[in-house]
Amino acid sequence: GNSVTQMEGPVTLSEEAFLTINCTYTATGYPSLFWYVQYPGEGLQLLLKATKADDKGSNKGFEATYRKETTSFHLEKGSVQVSDSAVYFCALREASKLTFGTGTRLQVTL
Amino acid sequence: GAVVSQHPSWVICKSGTSVKIECRSLDFQATTMFWYRQFPKQSLMLMATSNEGSKATYEQGVEKDKFLINHASLTLSTLTVTSAHPEDSSFYICSAGLGEDTQYFGPGTRLTVL
């Protein structure tokens, strides 16, 4: 079956540091890939997505590239802010069904 | 953007009682709603998919008689945990589908069964 593996957190960074959160997946077909973000007390929000190999999703300074050869969709941001502190979920969608990773908590400090 | 609410945000109940959780799409109509369960430090697991006016489709291993889902209207779906036991304690999250591609998530409901 499908699965998503992402790095365990928490990840603690200083403001303006570079962020990478690794995500790899296993799928039987050709899924779409997503990153969701969950701020404290709120529901998951779509951060970015990519629907086919070599696509790059981007939003709010975050980027992730769909790498079919390495079955990866790593999330990156060049300079994080305190307001980026949240839990980040990598997910894939196949046949209308979302499969999530376990989530990675990011804590950004001044 | 589209907003999905859940009520209650947390609930504590005694073993053997039933608990109902509501999921509402506040500013759009959702033909499909999804219910997920999340254990600590684990991923969201899809429990069931419900379409307005029809029976929910449950994932393998999810007891349909224990987790009753009713999708009464295009803006409301309810999950009832019947005869709750401590092992049902978890974080329950709903989402509402808008179009083929997009799900909007509620903030979740934490259930604790004593």
Side-chain angles (χ1 to χ4, degrees):
Chain A
N2 296 342
S3 67
V4 176
T5 303
Q6 61 183 106
M7 59 191 292
E8 281 195 36
V11 174
T12 302
L13 295 173
S14 298
E15 199 169 47
E16 298 183 0
F18 185 87
L19 168 71
T20 300
I21 300 178
N22 290 338
C23 171
T24 57
Y25 67 90
T26 303
T28 53
Y30 302 95
S32 295
L33 302 176
F34 302 82
W35 277 99
Y36 284 85
V37 58
Q38 185 176 31
Y39 299 103
E42 299 182 18
L44 275 73
Q45 302 173 25
L46 179 63
L47 179 61
L48 54 84
K49 68 178 182 181
T51 58
K52 62 183 188 297
D54 299 326
D55 269 2
K56 177 187 283 188
S58 61
N59 186 24
K60 299 181 181 179
F62 291 89
E63 293 183 340
T65 301
Y66 190 142
R67 301 285 189 203
K68 187 181 174 189
E69 64 275 14
T70 54
T71 61
S72 64
F73 194 54
H74 304 321
L75 182 68
E76 296 182 337
K77 186 174 185 182
S79 176
V80 293
Q81 306 299 311
V82 172
S83 57
D84 294 327
S85 299
V87 180
Y88 293 82
F89 291 89
C90 184
L92 67 84
R93 191 188 71 228
E94 199 164 36
S96 301
K97 180 178 172 181
L98 280 170
T99 301
F100 288 88
T102 54
T104 302
R105 181 174 298 279
L106 171 65
Q107 182 70 45
V108 181
T109 60
L110 290 171
Chain B
V3 178
V4 175
S5 70
Q6 280 185 242
H7 178 80
S9 55
W10 59 270
V11 57
I12 300 172
C13 70
K14 293 182 178 179
S15 186
T17 60
S18 295
V19 174
K20 180 185 284 189
I21 302 169
E22 292 186 350
C23 176
R24 293 181 185 272
S25 56
L26 297 185
D27 49 4
F28 67 101
Q29 294 184 329
T31 54
T32 305
M33 287 188 171
F34 305 84
W35 285 96
Y36 296 84
R37 183 174 179 178
Q38 185 180 25
F39 293 100
K41 298 185 179 180
Q42 295 188 27
S43 62
L44 282 74
M45 301 298 296
L46 180 65
M47 299 174 65
T49 303
S50 74
N51 292 292
E52 186 260 342
S54 62
K55 290 184 178 180
T57 302
Y58 290 80
E59 294 299 302
Q60 192 172 10
V62 178
E63 298 176 60
K64 60 183 67 176
D65 293 332
K66 181 163 191 62
F67 299 100
L68 300 179
I69 292 172
N70 182 24
H71 194 157
S73 75
L74 288 172
T75 59
L76 173 64
S77 177
T78 61
L79 168 69
T80 302
V81 183
T82 62
S83 187
H85 288 93
E87 58 266 29
D88 299 324
S89 298
S90 191
F91 197 57
Y92 293 88
I93 300 171
C94 74
S95 71
L98 184 62
E100 191 179 305
D101 218 27
T102 306
Q103 290 184 33
Y104 293 96
F105 287 80
T109 297
R110 182 161 303 283
L111 169 64
T112 301
V113 184
L114 301 176

